[in-house]
Amino acid sequence: MFDDLPPDLARLLTLRVWHAMWLQRIDTKIAALQERNAEQEQGQKNRPQEPDWIVELGIGNGRPPIEVHVGGCYAAGKRRRPVPRDEARRLLTSGVRACTHCTPDAQLRILD
């Protein structure tokens, strides 16, 4: 049945040790991946909710607002802060540029 196994006891015992070591490595890797997946799921659950409106801020003293974005806009820069709907409307009506990708002015129904 197992004709491909070594014929002597020393090599069979060595083979058994190698297999045991491989099983231990595999079990360790499985446990690490399960822990990592659990941590990622926990991180997804604990992630704060995405804001509805974002204002992109400039560089310099006071960091003036540059552009208004919808919450999930991919074009928003790294210098940003969430703003409520009323402040987004106020910024757009005061002359702050609206993002051309997510068009917050159209979603807030602000006409030129």
Side-chain angles (χ1 to χ4, degrees):
M1 181 179 200
F2 294 108
D3 296 333
D4 57 339
L5 292 175
D8 58 301
L9 182 61
R11 285 193 281 174
L12 282 173
L13 291 173
T14 301
L15 189 61
R16 185 173 187 272
V17 168
W18 285 355
H19 280 283
M21 287 175 14
W22 270 104
L23 284 175
Q24 182 181 7
R25 287 181 65 192
I26 291 170
D27 289 344
T28 303
K29 183 70 171 187
I30 288 171
L33 288 174
Q34 286 174 337
E35 182 178 347
R36 179 177 174 216
N37 288 343
E39 288 172 354
Q40 285 178 343
E41 288 174 9
Q42 187 69 22
Q44 291 292 333
K45 281 194 257 182
N46 291 341
R47 180 171 287 168
Q49 187 177 3
E50 191 173 85
D52 292 333
W53 308 100
I54 297 172
V55 62
E56 186 175 348
L57 303 172
I59 300 173
N61 195 12
R63 295 172 38 159
I66 296 175
E67 198 168 42
V68 177
H69 299 272
V70 175
C73 182
Y74 66 91
K78 293 189 185 267
R79 295 178 314 271
R80 58 183 168 183
R81 67 177 170 89
V83 293
R85 180 183 180 91
D86 293 337
E87 186 175 351
R89 288 182 61 85
R90 184 188 60 76
L91 288 169
L92 288 170
T93 55
S94 69
V96 176
R97 184 176 65 212
C99 175
T100 57
H101 299 282
C102 62
T103 60
D105 51 347
Q107 292 189 26
L108 289 170
R109 294 183 175 32
I110 296 176
L111 302 174
D112 288 337

